[in-house]
Amino acid sequence: MADEVVLLDFWPSPFGMRVRIALAEKGIHYEGREEDLSNKSPLLLKMNPVNKQIPVLIHNGRPISESLIIVQYIDEVWSNNKSPLLPSDPYQRANARFWADYIDKKIYSTGRLVWGTTGEVQEKAKKELRESFRVLEKELAEKTYFGGDMFGLVDVALIPFYSWFYTLETTANFSITEEFPRLVSWAKRCMQRDSVSNSVPDQYKIYDFLLDLKNKMHSIQ
């Protein structure tokens, strides 16, 4: 019996992008269901009653939530497929999880403040984001991917935020390309993979979406 795989998703979500990339890397066929986050579906509320957030992977009727947990689940369940996302060595696996967690804690919330605010709040967030990029670039060093020659969990965790780069540069008036060329080169390598290029939207499309979201947020304040 074939696996039934459904992904509850929202196209501009970097967390949904992670799951799309992982599924594509494994060659897993699935049904994607786009959610309206202003009017969440009964299925989403049923499958993720605690957080009521996307993404949710439904595998043979059973839900898995939180993007990094889903990505690791995909890697474990379809371990016989191509493209392992976590190394076999326990230390390297733990290290990959550390950096994926670092990205979760540092990039999304700080990045939102960079493109969503102005003034002192934005400047403070920009400084913090630069420091996070500096730390990540140091960890990347001269490697092809964060895991070396293997595209893996850390790359999956971070590459969706490449879609934010134009928005961050434009709204906060700084150049990620000039300040962090190694990180940008890594991102371009990732984008050459079909799994990534088919899952990460165009930066200008994301810019339009985030600008509209920012205006809506300001209009209700």
Side-chain angles (χ1 to χ4, degrees), residues 6 10 15 17 22 25 45-47 57 69 72 80 83-84 106 110 114 127 139 141 176 187 197 212 215 221:
V6 177
F10 181 47
F15 306 108
M17 294 177 210
E25 283 288 324
L45 299 177
K46 177 183 177 181
M47 291 297 168
L57 186 76
I69 293 173
Q72 292 176 75
N80 294 329
S83 305
K106 296 289 186 178
T110 310
V114 171
K127 182 179 179 181
E139 170 60 20
I176 299 173
S197 62
D212 182 58
N215 291 335
Q221 289 178 352

Side-chain angles (χ1 to χ4, degrees), residues 31-100:
E31 177 188 351
R33 296 190 186 180
E34 189 76 2
E35 284 287 330
D36 177 358
L37 299 187
S38 64
N39 184 26
K40 296 175 182 178
S41 72
L43 182 61
L44 174 59
L45 299 177
K46 177 183 177 181
M47 291 297 168
N48 191 1
V50 177
N51 294 328
K52 304 177 178 62
Q53 295 175 341
I54 56 91
V56 178
L57 186 76
I58 307 171
H59 182 207
N60 294 332
R62 298 189 300 180
I64 306 96
S65 303
E66 300 297 325
S67 63
L68 290 181
I69 293 173
I70 296 171
V71 169
Q72 292 176 75
Y73 175 87
I74 291 168
D75 196 46
E76 292 173 8
V77 170
W78 289 282
S79 59
N80 294 329
N81 293 43
K82 60 182 181 178
S83 305
L85 298 174
L86 279 162
S88 58
D89 177 75
Y91 174 78
Q92 293 179 356
R93 215 163 42 238
N95 193 54
R97 287 171 173 146
F98 169 85
W99 285 109

Side-chain angles (χ1 to χ4, degrees), residues 87-141:
S88 58
D89 177 75
Y91 174 78
Q92 293 179 356
R93 215 163 42 238
N95 193 54
R97 287 171 173 146
F98 169 85
W99 285 109
D101 183 64
Y102 177 88
I103 291 162
D104 248 12
K105 290 175 177 175
K106 296 289 186 178
I107 304 302
Y108 178 74
S109 57
T110 310
R112 273 193 66 125
L113 290 175
V114 171
W115 61 254
T117 63
T118 57
E120 291 183 7
V121 174
Q122 185 187 60
E123 285 301 314
K124 181 182 177 183
K126 185 165 67 169
K127 182 179 179 181
E128 291 177 3
L129 187 64
R130 278 173 160 149
E131 179 58 27
S132 297
F133 282 160
R134 197 170 292 113
V135 169
L136 287 167
E137 199 169 62
K138 182 179 179 181
E139 170 60 20
L140 178 63

Side-chain angles (χ1 to χ4, degrees), residues 157-195:
L158 183 58
I159 191 57
F161 294 103
Y162 180 59
S163 66
W164 282 19
F165 278 17
Y166 176 74
T167 303
L168 294 170
E169 290 181 319
T170 303
T171 56
N173 192 30
F174 76 116
S175 175
I176 299 173
T177 302
E178 291 181 4
E179 293 189 36
F180 308 101
R182 194 176 294 164
L183 204 58
V184 172
S185 294
W186 159 83
K188 290 180 177 179
R189 279 195 299 276
C190 291
M191 290 298 292
Q192 291 174 1
R193 303 178 73 89
D194 289 342
S195 64

Side-chain angles (χ1 to χ4, degrees), residues 4-8 23 28-34 57-58:
E4 181 184 65
V5 183
V6 177
L7 175 61
L8 307 184
L23 289 167
I28 305 302
H29 295 287
Y30 67 96
E31 177 188 351
R33 296 190 186 180
E34 189 76 2
L57 186 76
I58 307 171

